[in-house]
């Protein structure tokens, strides 16, 4: 780890002021990802601003009937919170599918959004990586890419190529639930719909999200609709616990008399951000619950997917996982 | 002329280390005053500055669980937190579990069930198990396996570790999972 100085502000404005004032400063909350990256010399902040004493550590009902998750509530406290378990079980299950109990006790909701990719080449300073070192190339494209993306990748230009995935489970559920991220910064407070928070690599693979310099996430708002009756989170990985997803699927359905009234499908482990196609989800609305309909949706969601060798299996795996998750959410017995 | 910078000044552009800070840590009920650089992890503070070497450094990246300690009763990876961030918290390590009445029941159960070979992961396993019991979400053997997955045992003593936990937690041994 590089040397750095440290401060522990007690209020939000001081924390934001310090970030603006100090070049190379970073916020630290749970530290589970940042300190790991610092030990690898991937992150080298000159100063750490410990934000653990700013408040932002409560879960509260909102006026519209939703739920506000404070940015500094731990992942564990969120997953086991009575209101989350009862009204947003998809979120609870997704969080508990990720990391270990120790890490969930440390990691915060705000920090989860800022997790960096676990691409081996991003972590290995001896190899090129456009995310870590813009313009240096992509080691994964023609390298070992079992864990890498199949959708929304950037692979046309070596100086911007990136096939990294976003590693979070929690964010896949937040995408399906259409959460809203609240941020505050020098320009005041703003809200970012979850679908716009993370981004695809495009021509700037070094940018993971759309937050502006100097901004801080203060909360994540869940809309009133929690899909607590028909939901599923399926995570497929190389071992059954404590591993990142090869493919994960969050499904949220609203069903009445065997007709689908609302449908959300979000995928993890396949792209630079949680993957959704609302126009494909819309084709399910008004349709009966049926395996054929679910298979059609799986095909359409994965349409355009591209494998890079070691990860090509993800294309078929993702389709089957989508069908299985939709069946599970609809309480339809799988046929295979 | 170069001047010594205080810890309030950024370090990147200067060849001067930020000052060590005076910090106070409460560990196993005892208050310790230390002079530590900000980048000292809680794990290194315990092992290198307090000689509490029961807590082990395995991977140093939050992947193995050997460094698990309890902070305010919750299990965490001490390798992924800075000592300076834990001022004001109550830290419990493996050294703090036994008392005048003898070993902690989990320590006794680990011995009785031969729940280790080399013993390197054991302090982390036991602290993690105490944290799991405090959390109150493990009801079955399958729950134990899932909720203890952050602690790796390279000797492969998992089945005996689960046996030890099952006895202390009084979980029905007839469950077939």
């Amino acid at each position: 780890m590089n040397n750095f100085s440290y401060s522990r502000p007690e209020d939000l404005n001081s924390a934001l002021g310090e970030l603006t004032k100090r070049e190379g400063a970073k916020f630290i909350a749970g530290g589970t990802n940042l300190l790991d990256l610092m030990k690898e010399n991937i992150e080298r902040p000159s100063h750490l601003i410990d934000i653990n004493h700013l408040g932002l550590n409560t879960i509260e009902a909102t006026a519209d009937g939703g739920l506000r998750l404070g940015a500094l509530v731990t992942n564990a406290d969120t997953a086991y919170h009575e209101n989350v378990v009862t009204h947003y079980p998809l979120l609870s299950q997704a969080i508990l599918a990720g990391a270990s109990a120790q890490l969930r006790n440390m990691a915060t909701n705000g920090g989860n959004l800022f997790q960096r990719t676990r691409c081996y080449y991003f972590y290995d300073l001896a190899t090129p990586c456009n995310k870590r070192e813009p313009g240096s190339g992509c080691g994964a494209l023609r390298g070992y890419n079992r864990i890498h993306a199949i959708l929304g990748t950037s692979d046309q230009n070596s100086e911007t190529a990136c096939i990294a995935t976003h590693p979070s489970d929690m964010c896949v559920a937040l995408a399906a639930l259409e959460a809203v991220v609240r941020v505050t910064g020098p320009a005041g407070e703003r809200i970012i719909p979850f679908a716009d928070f993370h981004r695809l690599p495009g021509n700037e693979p070094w940018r993971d999200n759309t937050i502006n310099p100097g901004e801080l996430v203060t909360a994540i708002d869940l809309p009133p609709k929690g899909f607590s009756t028909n939901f599923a989170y399926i995570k497929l990985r190389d071992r059954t616990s404590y591993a990142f997803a090869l493919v994960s699927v969050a499904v949220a359905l609203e069903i009445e008399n065997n007709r689908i009234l609302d449908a959300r499908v979000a995928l993890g482990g396949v792209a630079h951000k949680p993957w959704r196609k609302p126009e494909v989800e819309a084709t399910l609305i008004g349709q009966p619950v049926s395996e054929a309909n679910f298979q059609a949706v799986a095909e359409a969601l994965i349409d355009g997917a591209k494998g890079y060798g070691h990860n090509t299996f993800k294309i078929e795996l993702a389709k089957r996982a989508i069908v299985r998750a939709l069946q599970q959410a609809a309480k339809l017995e799988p046929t295979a | 002329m170069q001047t010594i910078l205080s810890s309030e000044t950024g370090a990147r552009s200067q060849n001067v280390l930020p000052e060590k800070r005076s910090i106070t840590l409460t560990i196993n009920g005892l208050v310790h005053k230390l002079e530590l650089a900000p980048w000292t992890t809680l794990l290194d503070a315990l092992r290198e500055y307090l000689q509490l070497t029961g807590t082990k450094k395995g991977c140093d990246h939050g992947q193995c669980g050997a460094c698990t300690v309890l902070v305010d009763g919750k299990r965490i990876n001490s390798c992924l937190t800075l000592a300076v961030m834990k001022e004001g918290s109550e830290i419990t390590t493996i050294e703090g579990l036994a008392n005048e009445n003898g070993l902690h029941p989990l320590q006794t159960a680990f011995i009785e069930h031969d729940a280790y070979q080399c013993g390197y992961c054991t302090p982390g396993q036991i602290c993690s198990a105490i944290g799991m019991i405090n959390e109150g979400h493990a009801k079955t053997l399958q729950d134990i396996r899932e909720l203890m997955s952050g602690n790796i045992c390279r000797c492969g003593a998992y089945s005996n570790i689960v046996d030890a936990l099952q006895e202390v937690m009084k979980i029905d041994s007839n469950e077939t999972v």
Side-chain angles (χ1 to χ4, degrees):
Chain A
M1 234 186 309
N2 64 293
N3 302 325
F4 55 85
S5 50
Y6 169 89
S7 60
R8 186 196 271 202
E10 302 285 335
D11 65 87
L12 191 56
N13 284 337
S14 311
L16 291 170
E18 285 196 32
L19 190 70
T20 313
K21 193 175 69 187
R22 296 171 188 276
E23 197 192 333
K26 275 195 170 292
F27 291 132
I28 185 166
T32 54
N33 194 201
L34 179 59
L35 287 174
D36 187 34
L37 292 166
M38 287 167 67
K39 289 180 182 193
E40 299 283 3
N41 271 319
I42 296 161
E43 293 282 3
R44 297 179 56 84
S46 63
H47 180 85
L48 286 185
I49 303 163
D50 181 348
I51 57 172
N52 285 295
H53 300 268
L54 302 184
L56 309 176
N57 57 354
T58 57
I59 294 182
E60 286 166 3
T62 54
D64 68 352
L67 201 62
R68 177 161 298 166
L69 310 174
L72 292 169
V73 181
T74 65
N75 286 178
D77 286 347
T78 304
Y80 292 119
H81 189 273
E82 193 185 350
N83 199 330
V84 175
V85 171
T86 308
H87 299 293
Y88 304 94
L90 173 63
L91 178 61
S92 181
Q93 285 188 12
I95 293 172
L96 294 176
S100 67
Q102 288 97 318
L103 291 168
R104 294 191 296 264
N105 278 343
M106 307 167 79
T108 62
N109 292 337
N112 193 299
L113 270 51
F114 290 98
Q115 276 192 85
R116 308 301 309 272
T117 183
R118 263 56 175 199
C119 172
Y120 336 112
Y121 301 94
F122 175 71
Y123 263 80
D124 184 351
L125 293 172
T127 63
C129 170
N130 287 324
K131 183 177 281 300
R132 170 170 43 74
E133 187 74 48
S136 63
C138 172
L141 202 56
R142 287 171 196 81
Y144 190 70
N145 49 39
R146 177 172 169 76
I147 64 170
H148 290 79
I150 53 172
L151 289 161
T153 53
S154 170
D155 63 3
Q156 297 303 308
N157 178 337
S158 73
E159 292 184 354
T160 55
C162 180
I163 59 171
T165 58
H166 193 260
S168 170
D169 290 292
M170 180 182 187
C171 290
V172 181
L174 291 173
L177 292 168
E178 297 192 342
V180 170
V181 184
R182 301 188 79 88
V183 304
T184 189
E189 194 170 29
R190 67 184 179 115
I191 58 169
I192 307 174
F194 207 79
D196 299 333
F197 186 83
H198 296 105
R199 57 185 297 286
L200 293 176
N203 291 326
E204 296 176 300
W206 47 92
R207 286 179 59 217
D208 292 351
N209 54 58
T210 56
I211 200 158
N212 294 323
E215 287 184 324
L216 175 71
V217 169
T218 56
I220 300 162
D221 286 354
L222 300 176
K225 215 163 159 178
F227 298 92
S228 58
T229 307
N230 293 104
F231 69 93
Y233 189 73
I234 287 184
K235 180 176 182 181
L236 301 169
R237 43 190 159 169
D238 281 329
R239 54 175 189 246
T240 53
S241 184
Y242 200 13
F244 290 99
L246 292 167
V247 170
S248 71
V249 187
V251 166
L253 298 175
E254 197 180 349
I255 300 171
E256 204 174 274
N257 300 327
N258 210 42
R259 292 266 160 198
I260 296 167
L261 302 183
D262 198 356
R264 314 262 179 85
V265 184
L267 308 180
V270 296
H272 199 257
K273 61 183 284 190
W275 187 261
R276 275 189 67 196
K277 276 189 180 173
E279 69 278 13
V280 173
E281 296 165 4
T283 64
L284 277 176
I285 292 170
Q287 297 297 311
V289 167
S290 82
E291 191 175 329
N293 285 335
F294 294 162
Q295 270 168 352
V297 162
E299 290 290 337
L301 278 171
I302 300 301
D303 186 43
K306 182 174 173 186
Y308 294 91
H310 303 104
N311 71 345
T312 306
F313 72 97
K314 284 190 179 186
I315 297 172
E316 183 60 26
L317 188 71
K319 285 183 199 170
R320 294 186 190 192
I322 292 164
V323 174
R324 179 63 63 95
L326 281 161
Q327 287 174 322
Q328 195 175 308
K331 301 177 174 132
L332 197 67
E333 282 298 312
T335 53
Chain B
M1 196 181 92
Q2 196 162 33
T3 52
I4 301 297
L5 299 167
S6 79
S7 61
E8 292 300 305
T9 311
R12 176 174 279 180
S13 57
Q14 313 289 337
N15 290 320
V16 180
L17 297 183
E19 284 177 356
K20 288 190 173 185
R21 299 168 65 101
S22 286
I23 73 160
T24 305
L25 292 177
T26 306
I27 301 161
N28 302 327
L30 295 175
V31 176
H32 299 269
K33 288 198 185 306
L34 295 164
E35 296 284 319
L36 290 178
W39 51 89
T40 310
T41 61
L42 176 59
L43 174 61
D44 286 344
L46 293 171
R47 290 182 55 83
E48 308 296 333
Y49 295 90
L50 292 163
Q51 284 67 55
L52 291 167
T53 53
T55 306
K56 298 294 187 267
K57 183 181 278 194
C59 68
D60 209 24
H61 289 279
Q63 296 172 5
C64 76
C67 68
T68 303
V69 299
L70 298 160
V71 174
D72 297 326
K74 293 187 173 180
R75 50 180 166 161
I76 66 156
N77 300 110
S78 62
C79 74
L80 287 185
T81 195
L82 300 172
V84 68
M85 292 166 69
K86 294 302 167 195
E87 275 204 293
S89 299
E90 296 272 346
I91 297 154
T92 305
T93 68
I94 191 74
E95 290 92 343
L97 300 185
N99 58 28
E100 63 278 9
N101 299 319
L103 294 178
H104 186 282
L106 275 167
Q107 291 175 307
T108 307
F110 266 63
I111 294 168
E112 285 177 356
H113 288 273
D114 204 12
Y116 48 81
Q117 283 184 42
C118 80
Y120 199 80
C121 74
T122 311
Q125 297 278 2
I126 291 177
C127 287
S128 185
I130 291 172
M132 180 181 68
I133 293 168
N134 289 346
E135 289 156 14
H137 302 298
K139 310 289 184 203
T140 66
L141 299 185
Q142 187 53 40
D143 292 343
I144 292 177
R145 293 187 189 103
E146 168 59 31
L147 293 172
M148 289 293 292
S149 72
N151 292 81
I152 308 297
C153 170
R154 274 292 159 258
C155 302
Y158 295 110
S159 60
N160 294 4
I161 292 169
V162 173
D163 287 349
L165 299 193
Q166 175 191 351
E167 180 186 286
V168 173
M169 296 171 74
K170 299 185 171 59
I171 288 175
D172 185 0
S173 60
N174 293 321
E175 183 201 340
T176 52
V177 178

